[in-house]
Amino acid sequence: MTDRPVTDDPVIDDPDFDVVLLGTDIGIYALARAFRERYGIASTVISRVVAGPIADSQFIETVELGEHAQRQDTLDELERQGRARAAAGRTTLLLSNADSFSRMLSDQAEWLRQWYVVPAVDAAVLDMVADKIEFDRACREIDIPTPRTLVQDFSGAGDPTWTPDAVDLTYPVVAKPAVGAAYEGLRFEGKNKIFKVDSPAELVTVFRRVAEAGFRDRFVVQELIPGDDTAMRSITAYADQFGRVTLLATAQVLLQEHQPLAIGNPAAMITTPYPELMDQAERMLTHVGYHGFANFDVKLDPRDGVMKFFEMNPRIGRNNFYVTAAGANVAEFITTDLIQHERHEPVVVRNEILYCVLPMFLLRRYLSPELKQLVKRVTRQGVFHPLVTKDSLKRKLYVAAAKANYVRKYARYYPKQTESGF
């Protein structure tokens, strides 16, 4: 079964606005594609470097700041773009899909709103949901299950006498930063997005490296829930300015990425409705007064059959294209809300589609016979890849090369399925 685009002809209701995006990954391309397919808009993408996912596209204008650009360089370019568009009488929507940019937009929202429509999350709400510790606390307040979670504070790690706390959990455990934005810019040997730790001594080693790299925020240490990648679930939601959740979509993960700095990003998913998860996500968004896109990571615990929430990303996910591919174009929800100032009718995604950025033979290598049959049935509708469009030849060559590169990456980092997904 070959990859297929969602649509070739945009359905345009009110395209009289511009879109500026911050980032460079596959999720930013998917957002630009959604606006193109729904409103016929070409987006402007501002990034330090123009990486493969956004390069050479017919509907993306890129602005490259340079590899060593800092936050202020991004803000300066946003001011330049904003002033020019405002002078031309344009309404401009500003979006991102990275933790660090979400924080920047929240911090600078009032200043940026001189020129942009900015769907920034309120700072107090962002502090709550972006922090895995506070998120865990909020979940418990409304009876949403989570893994047992402990905290390691690095605020005093600059003191030569500092030592990590002992962990009262059964090993192996999982360790990860409480706030992704506080960790993104660090560089050190052995850096992982998420660490699987097999012993107390190994955890001390990890924490020493993190401390020596200058990290002064907090890590969470959680019990490792058994189960491979197929036990993971993804939820995407949108809560509008009126306080209503207008989009709910869920998917079962089939295979995640496994290279150290991308581990946990879904590489293949099948959309399917999980009503209980949708209800829990909606309750959480309402409970904290959240507005905008949100993405939740959940895992089925085989020990008790309970779905347990790991975290909430206060932004649209890197893999947001699974929602658009299933028939709910993500651009429409935010445009209806913040550009047209209308109430979108709530949408619950029920279509089954396969989202996959891998060669199909590679995906099948990791699936059980039952899941292979499910994939075979679902792929009669096609295989949906965010980068597969009727775009330039250079882009088609890039997609082919990227797929081939996954074969190498899985051979190195995850040569066969494991019981834990690590």
Side-chain angles (χ1 to χ4, degrees):
M1 179 64 67
T2 58
D3 297 293
R4 54 174 291 188
V6 177
T7 182
D8 296 322
D9 300 315
V11 179
I12 304 171
D13 285 343
D14 182 12
D16 192 24
F17 65 98
D18 295 340
V19 176
V20 171
L21 305 173
L22 299 176
T24 191
D25 68 8
I26 194 171
I28 287 294
Y29 182 87
L31 268 177
R33 177 176 176 175
F35 279 101
R36 176 67 168 189
E37 292 181 346
R38 181 62 181 83
Y39 298 105
I41 289 174
S43 298
T44 297
V45 175
I46 300 173
S47 62
R48 288 189 299 174
V49 296
V50 178
I54 63 169
D56 303 307
S57 172
Q58 296 173 356
F59 53 82
I60 292 177
E61 175 189 351
T62 59
V63 177
E64 188 169 20
L65 301 178
E67 185 176 356
H68 301 293
Q70 301 297 315
R71 173 173 171 160
Q72 189 58 50
D73 298 305
T74 302
L75 291 172
D76 290 345
E77 180 60 28
L78 283 172
E79 180 175 358
R80 189 184 73 81
Q81 292 277 341
R83 286 186 182 279
R85 294 168 192 275
R90 303 293 297 174
T91 297
T92 304
L93 181 62
L94 176 60
L95 291 169
S96 73
N97 75 330
D99 291 333
S100 57
F101 285 138
S102 295
R103 171 58 62 184
M104 185 185 77
L105 295 186
S106 178
D107 291 344
Q108 302 293 331
E110 290 308 309
W111 179 72
L112 288 166
R113 283 177 179 141
Q114 298 176 82
W115 314 292
Y116 297 97
V117 176
V118 184
V121 180
D122 177 78
V125 176
L126 180 63
D127 288 341
M128 180 187 300
V129 299
D131 186 321
K132 296 176 181 62
I133 299 163
E134 296 302 319
F135 174 72
D136 178 77
R137 184 177 293 118
C139 283
R140 295 182 184 281
E141 288 174 355
I142 55 176
D143 297 321
I144 293 177
T146 62
R148 187 181 173 206
T149 300
L150 303 179
V151 181
Q152 175 60 63
D153 187 355
F154 284 78
S155 60
D159 187 329
T161 64
W162 178 85
T163 56
D165 299 330
V167 172
D168 180 25
L169 290 173
T170 301
Y171 285 81
V173 296
V174 172
K176 53 191 174 182
V179 181
Y183 184 73
E184 283 181 357
L186 291 184
R187 296 190 179 187
F188 60 92
E189 182 180 355
K191 180 181 178 182
N192 282 10
K193 180 182 175 185
I194 303 169
F195 295 90
K196 172 181 174 284
V197 184
D198 293 316
S199 69
E202 184 181 347
L203 185 61
V204 170
T205 298
V206 168
F207 282 166
R208 288 290 184 190
R209 288 179 179 173
V210 171
E212 289 167 3
F215 186 77
R216 295 296 180 265
D217 206 285
R218 292 155 302 150
F219 255 58
V220 296
V221 184
Q222 294 177 330
E223 60 178 332
L224 176 63
I225 294 179
D228 61 26
D229 292 355
T230 62
M232 294 299 300
R233 306 290 185 265
S234 177
I235 310 171
T236 295
Y238 185 81
D240 69 14
Q241 61 182 314
F242 306 104
R244 297 193 316 164
V245 177
T246 56
L247 170 65
L248 286 165
T250 53
Q252 177 181 1
V253 176
L254 300 178
L255 188 62
Q256 300 182 107
E257 298 195 28
H258 284 270
Q259 58 270 38
L261 296 182
I263 190 167
N265 292 331
M269 297 184 281
I270 288 181
T271 57
T272 189
Y274 291 100
E276 183 180 9
L277 295 185
M278 291 177 177
D279 174 70
Q280 290 169 321
E282 184 168 9
R283 284 197 290 118
M284 172 57 70
L285 296 174
T286 303
H287 177 62
V288 301
Y290 186 87
H291 303 288
F293 283 111
N295 177 243
F296 298 83
D297 293 331
V298 185
K299 189 172 186 179
L300 173 63
D301 190 336
R303 298 169 299 184
D304 54 15
V306 174
M307 296 278 193
K308 295 182 178 176
F309 279 60
F310 283 176
E311 63 184 12
M312 171 182 160
N313 298 304
R315 53 177 170 76
I316 198 164
R318 180 178 184 270
N319 300 283
N320 64 83
F321 186 68
Y322 79 86
V323 184
T324 298
N329 186 303
V330 294
E332 184 175 307
F333 296 89
I334 194 165
T335 300
T336 302
D337 183 26
L338 298 183
I339 300 296
Q340 299 172 334
H341 302 289
E342 297 175 357
R343 295 174 182 261
H344 197 292
E345 286 302 312
V347 172
V348 173
V349 175
R350 303 189 185 280
N351 296 333
E352 281 189 329
I353 62 98
L354 174 65
Y355 166 99
C356 185
V357 299
L358 308 167
M360 287 301 295
F361 78 86
L362 180 61
L363 172 62
R364 292 189 186 100
R365 184 183 300 172
Y366 291 87
L367 300 180
S368 66
E370 294 77 15
L371 283 175
K372 286 179 182 177
Q373 286 300 312
L374 174 61
V375 165
K376 182 178 180 181
R377 175 176 64 79
V378 173
T379 52
R380 291 171 186 156
Q381 305 299 319
V383 179
F384 293 88
H385 188 308
L387 303 183
V388 174
T389 63
K390 290 185 177 180
D391 216 317
S392 65
L393 176 60
K394 283 185 178 180
R395 290 203 56 79
K396 292 178 181 178
L397 293 174
Y398 170 78
V399 173
K403 283 187 173 184
N405 194 36
Y406 273 117
V407 178
R408 178 189 62 81
K409 289 190 288 189
Y410 278 87
R412 178 179 179 183
Y413 295 110
Y414 197 59
K416 62 180 181 179
Q417 188 79 285
T418 67
E419 292 183 357
S420 67
F422 284 92

